[in-house]
Amino acid sequence: MIKRIVSIVLALLVATVALVAWLNLRGEDGLDSPSPAPTADTVARGAYLARAGNCMGCHTTQGGAEYAGGRGIDTPFGTVFAPNLTPDEATGLGRWTEPEFWRAMHNGRAKDGRLLYPAFPYTNFTQVSRADSAAIYAFLRSLPPVSQANRPHELRFPYDSQLSLAVWRALYFRPGSFEPDPRQAADWNRGAYLVRGLGHCSACHAERDALGGSVDELRLAGGLIPVQNWYAPGVGGGDPARFAALMKDGVSKHGSVMGPMAEVVYLSSSHLEGSDVQAMARYVASLEPAEPVKRKSKGIDASVLDLGQRIYDKHCADCHGAHGEGRDGIYPPLAGNPSVQLSAAQNTVQAILHGGFAPATPGNPRPAGMPPFTHALDEAEIAAVASFVRQAWGNSAPPVSALEVMRVR
């Protein structure tokens, strides 16, 4: 009986290993197909597509050479360092072929076949077409080579092993390609291609489980950005004009982008053609809205709101207005501001603690900034003013506790 049980367990183990191996080897076709010689137009299109994917955002350190890698991406499992994408022979992509680059984009595998960590969002980039991947490759090959060795990742056990990564991929990743919806217009499909693929919007705007896998990523219903402690709100069903303004200019009449999204707008979306931004806005507006949060009637001491109002009048009203009305095109309104009224309070607390800085864009070249108050106010005071702002002028978001502020700080 014991031998039979052992045999069954071993058989299941072998079957599981075989399944994991098969799932990780899918999408390996096309590595031997030749690629056409790049033209100047191909390189220019690749530069535009690299902007759309915000490749420079991760593959450039502050003050470093563009695309030379070295930037650390903090994750709950450790730090992943972006590699050198310049055509340097020893440390960059100099010896990579176009099919090998396509395999990295489409199937998340390195030149030598190693599995890549999904901090490189190949779970989204697998949607990118072969032609667009080849154009990005041609652009990267046109860059001046920079000799900068790649830093090894600093991941905790067991996340630092290829076996763990293979299991993760078996659970969460399937190579695929974008399939246009014949029922939708061409601009809707263009927007869907950019949002799901190069834009990799679900990397932030979808909830993640304990192992870092996206939950219901096509809905873009919102989620907490790991480690950074900013909340990427749900975007489905919103006003397409507001979305387009935020993506193109970084500001709208309802507010401005801050935190990680400010960098995305500055480096990526503000450089996109208006037609592409409008297409993304149309697609996002068609998505199912996030479930409305059922806010519990949570009592708050009147003295806390009184303290919050006094702090607001002293530090905030000069810019945001006595009634949270803001100043059109300069300081965002707080009354009715969707970000202020999120169920999650992280963004409001982050702005008070560390300040708010919208990106400089062609449509908003001199954005106004908000100073940080992390040294001027303690946790109880920040909680009080955040609670006041989230409940004043018709806002109805839950109050903020000093403990929540401590967690964000």
Side-chain angles (χ1 to χ4, degrees):
M1 182 66 178
I2 295 178
K3 289 183 177 180
R4 185 177 180 185
I5 293 174
V6 171
S7 298
I8 292 174
V9 170
L10 288 174
L12 289 173
L13 181 61
V14 170
T16 301
V17 170
L19 177 62
V20 169
W22 177 75
L23 289 171
N24 278 280
L25 289 173
R26 294 178 68 189
E28 291 292 285
D29 54 312
L31 289 180
D32 297 326
S33 58
S35 55
T39 64
D41 287 343
T42 303
V43 172
R45 186 162 65 90
Y48 177 81
L49 293 169
R51 280 282 194 187
N54 193 24
C55 305
M56 189 167 63
C58 287
H59 291 273
T60 305
T61 58
Q62 187 173 8
E66 292 183 0
Y67 296 98
R71 181 172 179 176
I73 296 100
D74 292 326
T75 78
F77 316 106
T79 303
V80 175
F81 291 94
N84 186 346
L85 296 185
T86 73
D88 181 68
E89 286 283 328
T91 64
L93 298 182
R95 298 179 182 177
W96 284 58
T97 64
E98 183 276 324
E100 288 168 342
F101 183 80
W102 159 248
R103 180 171 68 171
M105 291 281 285
H106 185 68
N107 204 26
R109 297 179 79 91
K111 177 180 173 63
D112 61 3
R114 286 180 304 106
L115 306 178
L116 298 174
Y117 284 94
F120 169 59
Y122 57 82
T123 51
N124 294 97
F125 290 169
T126 190
Q127 300 281 316
V128 174
S129 70
R130 178 71 181 267
D132 281 353
S133 174
I136 296 171
Y137 171 79
F139 162 67
L140 294 174
R141 295 283 296 185
S142 74
L143 296 172
V146 177
S147 178
Q148 180 166 292
N150 295 315
R151 290 186 60 178
H153 304 317
E154 297 174 0
L155 295 165
R156 297 186 302 277
F157 178 83
Y159 312 112
D160 57 350
S161 73
Q162 287 281 291
L163 176 59
S164 296
L165 186 52
V167 172
W168 187 93
R169 287 166 52 102
L171 291 172
Y172 297 107
F173 173 61
R174 301 291 182 272
S177 58
F178 178 75
E179 298 293 339
D181 187 339
R183 300 168 298 178
Q184 299 289 349
D187 62 339
W188 185 97
N189 278 300
R190 174 64 175 172
Y193 174 73
L194 290 170
V195 168
R196 295 179 191 172
L198 278 175
H200 59 284
C201 302
S202 64
C204 292
H205 290 272
E207 184 182 353
R208 291 184 179 272
D209 62 21
L211 294 178
S214 294
V215 178
D216 203 7
E217 63 181 7
L218 292 182
R219 282 192 60 203
L220 301 181
L224 184 66
I225 303 175
V227 182
Q228 298 188 47
N229 233 347
W230 283 85
Y231 186 83
V235 295
D239 177 10
R242 174 178 175 268
F243 179 89
L246 289 173
M247 293 290 286
K248 190 67 176 173
D249 301 328
V251 294
S252 76
K253 64 180 181 180
H254 298 291
S256 59
V257 298
M258 294 188 300
M261 193 63 197
E263 181 179 297
V264 171
V265 172
Y266 177 69
L267 293 175
S268 178
S269 63
S270 64
H271 299 272
L272 298 184
E273 296 172 359
S275 58
D276 276 345
V277 174
Q278 294 293 335
M280 294 170 72
R282 176 173 179 181
Y283 168 71
V284 165
S286 74
L287 298 177
E288 181 183 353
E291 294 285 340
V293 178
K294 296 180 179 179
R295 294 174 174 140
K296 296 180 180 178
S297 179
K298 199 173 180 182
I300 182 170
D301 194 317
S303 64
V304 174
L305 289 180
D306 179 65
L307 172 61
Q309 182 167 11
R310 283 188 278 117
I311 295 171
Y312 179 87
D313 291 342
K314 179 180 179 180
H315 294 291
C316 316
D318 284 348
C319 294
H320 292 288
H323 303 287
E325 70 275 15
R327 294 187 189 180
D328 190 29
I330 304 175
Y331 303 114
L334 302 179
N337 188 308
S339 181
V340 169
Q341 297 191 83
L342 288 170
S343 178
Q346 281 91 345
N347 295 358
T348 301
V349 174
Q350 286 273 24
I352 298 170
L353 280 172
H354 305 300
F357 304 94
T361 62
N364 186 35
R366 294 183 178 179
M370 173 179 165
F373 290 91
T374 185
H375 299 301
L377 303 174
D378 62 25
E379 281 85 0
E381 290 171 322
I382 291 172
V385 70
S387 296
F388 170 73
V389 166
R390 285 162 61 82
Q391 296 197 349
W393 319 301
N395 293 345
S396 59
V400 182
S401 69
L403 179 59
E404 289 178 271
V405 176
M406 289 180 66
R407 287 171 177 164
V408 175
R409 191 195 286 271

